[in-house]
Amino acid sequence: MKKKWILLLLITISFTSLTAQDALYPNTFPLGDVRITAGPFKHACDLNVKVLLQYDTDRLLAPFLREAGLPKKAETYGNWEKDGLDGHIGGHYLTALAIHYAATGNLECKKRMDYMVSEFARVQQANGDGSICGFPNSKKFAEEIRKGNVGIVWNYWVAWYNMHKTYAGLRDAWLYGKNEKAKKIFLKFCDWGVDVISNLDDRQMERMLDNEFGGMNEVYADAWQMTGNPKYLDTAKRFSHKQIFDSMARRIDNLDNKHANTQVPKAVGYQRVAELNSKTAPDYNDFMTAAEFFWETVVSHRSLSLGGNSRGEHFPEAGKCSDYMHERQGPESCNTNNMLKLTEGLFRMHPKVEYADFYERAMYNHILSTQHPEHGGYVYFTPACPSHYRVYSAPGKAMWCCVGTGMENHGKYGQFIYTHDTADNALYVNLFIPSELNWKEKKIKIVQETDFPNEEGTTLTINPSKATQFKLLIRYPSWVEQGKMQVVAHLAVKEQLRPVERPLVDEAAFLKHPARASSKGIEGRGNQVEQHFLEAEARHRTHRLGHVSPAPVRRAEGIA
């Protein structure tokens, strides 16, 4: 079936105001303007706020104060926060506070966010060079990189990856939390990074990037968009690891046995550079192709039906996906977090229904299920191995990478339900989640009522305060057979759902989208398949996935 959007009605207006979120992602509504009203996503967000507030900000800030020579206000957390990746959770936590403040208006999240930004300002001032690092011997690291001794990266636990979390946290405190001080600190930190790598030639840069570096290309692309200063775009391109970038740009899959979440953030950066680069630039097509081909490769050939990928943190060989059935460490939550970022970015550029289909599948089946529905702990691995189980974190004990992204995940559920396209004058309804959109620029409220996936239908009610015009585009999901999606609209719509130009008053439309069963084959495993029933997604709130057989759970420190 040719996937498509249903064009329900045409409703045109120019947008005159921008929030920080609009400034980086022009088609995205501010999280505060999309309120999830019921269901598991609202529960997950509300629960996650309670979990976030169980962490001690001073303990998360302790590594940064130590490296700046400032007195600590509390002892640092243990686990990964004392094993060399000190400070990585602090950056994630700042992002999470900003996101959940934007999504819920929780003032304690804002208070903590503002406090962390002020403490990072103190650290930056004490360091005197613009840096904000929490990992041990961070000053030595920068000195050696400046000298061209890029091999020093292997003496640290992914230093650039660690710093990326702080960069992203500061950006998000500005982007979602509207903290202008965070933007200044972020850009000063960016200037420090530009200086550290300024003397490296291309060969040295490539050797350094053999070590995991997170989404450094993404944050420098963001810095360019925030300022227009070309040095940031140049730096974003310098952080494009050629071993992966060149292959993806030539549409060559070289991901076999590579560490998966080292690669996904690179592709997020490729997309951001393409999105912001001039289409006439000589390297535009390379960045665009690299991002698109990476997405196609991972989604179509290297992911399970729940939307997750990797086993033992690495991509299996393309013809040996049966490895998933034998490896206890199944798809890693961080990977899917970053794949959703990549999907959002590609959708901004080309709003294909395939992107929204994947987003829905991964968000419902993987991301939502990585939070324990009662105590709110986070999941690292989701095994596809029969007779295995999942392990959940406990606050302050387990400080894994997927705890960091887990902190962020559950506040962003409102980000992709609706998007808009100013140039095409369109509103996209991407996801079927009970919610209310306050489209301030058009003075319209749109209410979506549904119990999907338990209910095969959605009701949209449009409440404008004045007559206006725009296109309403509703996703035709891949799991609905051709011709089976029905729209019962209490408005004048032509038979084939072509656009109708007319003023909009209070209107409602009921969509019936009957789900069908589909299957996804496991490459390299003959006729064995994973059954993918959309109706089965209702099981995601249990603490084991439906396809994982029960097994005894052993409690240990840091495990809930």
Side-chain angles (χ1 to χ4, degrees):
M1 179 187 75
K2 176 69 174 175
K3 297 178 186 178
K4 56 186 179 293
W5 298 90
I6 287 184
L7 177 56
L8 188 56
L9 53 132
L10 181 69
I11 314 172
T12 300
I13 198 166
S14 59
F15 296 88
T16 56
S17 62
L18 288 177
T19 66
Q21 203 170 329
D22 294 321
L24 286 191
Y25 311 132
N27 80 334
T28 305
F29 289 104
L31 277 175
D33 292 350
V34 181
R35 185 172 64 89
I36 298 177
T37 54
F41 293 105
K42 175 175 169 48
H43 169 80
C45 182
D46 292 344
L47 176 60
N48 202 47
V49 170
K50 295 177 182 178
V51 173
L52 290 175
L53 298 184
Q54 294 179 50
Y55 288 84
D56 185 329
T57 51
D58 284 323
R59 294 189 71 181
L60 292 170
L61 288 163
F64 301 95
L65 298 177
R66 180 197 66 216
E67 290 301 302
L70 296 171
K72 293 183 294 183
K73 298 181 179 180
E75 285 301 314
T76 187
Y77 280 111
N79 198 245
W80 288 18
E81 281 287 306
K82 261 188 178 174
D83 287 347
L85 206 59
D86 313 29
H88 78 120
I89 293 293
H92 282 297
Y93 188 68
L94 181 56
T95 288
L97 292 173
I99 286 172
H100 286 78
Y101 166 59
T104 69
N106 184 281
L107 294 180
E108 180 61 25
C109 287
K110 175 175 169 52
K111 179 181 175 181
R112 292 184 178 213
M113 176 193 73
D114 290 341
Y115 173 70
M116 289 192 76
V117 170
S118 66
E119 287 294 278
F120 279 138
R122 240 178 20 105
V123 167
Q124 194 173 62
Q125 184 176 16
N127 284 330
D129 57 3
S131 65
I132 309 172
C133 303
F135 58 92
N137 300 313
S138 55
K139 289 183 171 59
K140 177 70 172 176
F141 174 84
E143 290 171 6
E144 293 300 316
I145 296 295
R146 283 193 179 95
K147 294 175 185 176
N149 180 20
V150 294
I152 195 72
V153 295
W154 299 103
N155 295 345
Y156 291 79
W157 188 357
V158 293
W160 284 111
Y161 165 96
N162 191 335
M163 286 185 279
H164 166 254
K165 310 314 163 200
T166 308
Y167 279 105
L170 289 164
R171 175 204 61 199
D172 292 337
W174 167 75
L175 178 66
Y176 295 101
K178 302 180 182 179
N179 187 307
E180 287 298 321
K181 183 188 288 187
K183 178 181 178 180
K184 295 177 182 177
I185 300 169
F186 169 76
L187 293 174
K188 191 179 291 187
F189 194 12
C190 287
D191 291 340
W192 172 85
V194 171
D195 178 66
V196 167
I197 66 170
S198 60
N199 293 326
L200 302 184
D201 59 28
D202 289 346
R203 181 184 61 84
Q204 291 170 317
M205 196 74 188
E206 187 71 2
R207 283 179 56 210
M208 184 181 75
L209 298 183
D210 286 339
N211 188 269
E212 186 175 2
F213 57 91
M216 289 300 301
N217 48 356
E218 175 206 7
V219 293
Y220 272 104
D222 292 339
W224 180 81
Q225 188 175 6
M226 291 160 72
T227 64
N229 191 323
K231 72 178 180 182
Y232 297 131
L233 184 58
D234 291 342
T235 304
K237 293 178 180 182
R238 294 201 74 194
F239 270 103
S240 297
H241 190 207
K242 291 183 173 56
Q243 182 187 94
I244 300 298
F245 175 73
D246 289 351
S247 296
M248 294 293 126
R250 297 197 302 270
R251 300 185 68 82
I252 296 172
D253 178 358
N254 65 336
L255 297 178
D256 280 0
N257 296 312
K258 286 188 169 56
H259 187 262
N261 201 46
T262 297
Q263 318 314 324
V264 184
K266 297 175 187 177
V268 175
Y270 303 156
Q271 181 278 321
R272 285 297 283 152
V273 171
E275 184 176 13
L276 303 175
N277 212 0
S278 168
K279 290 187 177 181
T280 60
D283 56 2
Y284 170 80
N285 286 333
D286 286 343
F287 278 97
M288 191 73 253
T289 301
E292 289 179 328
F293 182 70
F294 185 94
W295 188 92
E296 293 165 11
T297 298
V298 172
V299 170
S300 300
H301 304 292
R302 295 183 175 275
S303 296
L304 296 182
S305 64
L306 80 165
N309 64 74
S310 83
R311 50 86 180 109
E313 297 196 358
H314 292 69
F315 289 118
E317 294 178 26
K320 292 185 64 178
C321 288
S322 58
D323 287 1
Y324 284 109
M325 301 177 68
H326 308 294
E327 173 59 61
R328 290 179 297 172
Q329 297 181 350
E332 180 182 347
S333 304
C334 286
N335 304 9
T336 305
N337 168 285
N338 283 307
M339 282 301 296
L340 293 185
K341 287 182 186 176
L342 176 59
T343 304
E344 288 174 7
L346 290 170
F347 186 91
R348 286 195 299 271
M349 302 179 74
H350 305 292
K352 298 178 181 179
V353 73
E354 290 85 356
Y355 294 142
D357 279 341
F358 170 75
Y359 200 100
E360 175 185 70
R361 179 157 57 97
M363 191 176 83
Y364 269 88
N365 290 289
H366 194 193
I367 293 299
L368 181 59
S369 72
T370 60
Q371 180 203 56
H372 193 285
E374 296 171 2
H375 60 65
Y378 309 118
V379 164
Y380 198 148
F381 299 114
T382 295
C385 176
S387 299
H388 204 62
Y389 50 86
R390 298 198 295 181
V391 174
Y392 290 83
S393 66
K397 299 292 185 181
M399 307 299 277
W400 321 312
C401 54
C402 294
V403 167
T405 51
M407 289 175 168
E408 303 172 14
N409 283 331
H410 309 292
K412 289 183 65 179
Y413 290 131
Q415 185 153 295
F416 195 69
I417 301 174
Y418 312 96
T419 55
H420 59 82
D421 185 334
T422 305
D424 197 34
N425 188 38
L427 173 70
Y428 288 86
V429 179
N430 302 317
L431 301 173
F432 306 118
I433 294 175
S435 54
E436 181 178 295
L437 167 65
N438 183 8
W439 197 353
K440 293 177 180 176
E441 289 82 2
K442 290 188 179 291
K443 300 186 181 341
I444 287 175
K445 288 189 177 181
I446 297 177
V447 177
Q448 182 175 178
E449 297 171 278
T450 181
D451 190 28
F452 174 81
N454 300 315
E455 172 192 10
E456 294 182 342
T458 297
T459 299
L460 293 173
T461 304
I462 302 172
N463 300 307
S465 60
K466 64 176 184 179
T468 188
Q469 292 183 325
F470 62 93
K471 295 176 187 176
L472 177 60
L473 295 166
I474 302 169
R475 179 171 63 99
Y476 196 121
S478 61
W479 39 263
V480 177
E481 292 184 30
Q482 188 172 11
K484 295 294 185 181
M485 187 164 177
Q486 302 173 31
V487 179
V488 181
H490 301 290
L491 38 81
V493 183
K494 295 184 180 178
E495 272 186 27
Q496 296 180 345
L497 298 175
R498 292 173 181 168
V500 177
E501 290 196 46
R502 65 186 192 77
L504 186 70
V505 295
D506 284 9
E507 307 283 13
F510 175 75
L511 283 75
K512 184 172 177 58
H513 37 66
R516 61 176 177 140
S518 64
S519 63
K520 177 180 170 63
I522 300 179
E523 295 186 42
R525 194 65 180 176
N527 62 358
Q528 291 194 7
V529 297
E530 301 171 77
Q531 293 298 322
H532 184 210
F533 293 85
L534 202 72
E535 296 93 335
E537 290 176 343
R539 295 198 302 256
H540 65 270
R541 298 312 297 163
T542 63
H543 64 280
R544 290 193 175 97
L545 282 190
H547 69 273
V548 178
S549 299
V553 178
R554 177 176 60 86
R555 291 187 62 87
E557 184 180 359
I559 306 302

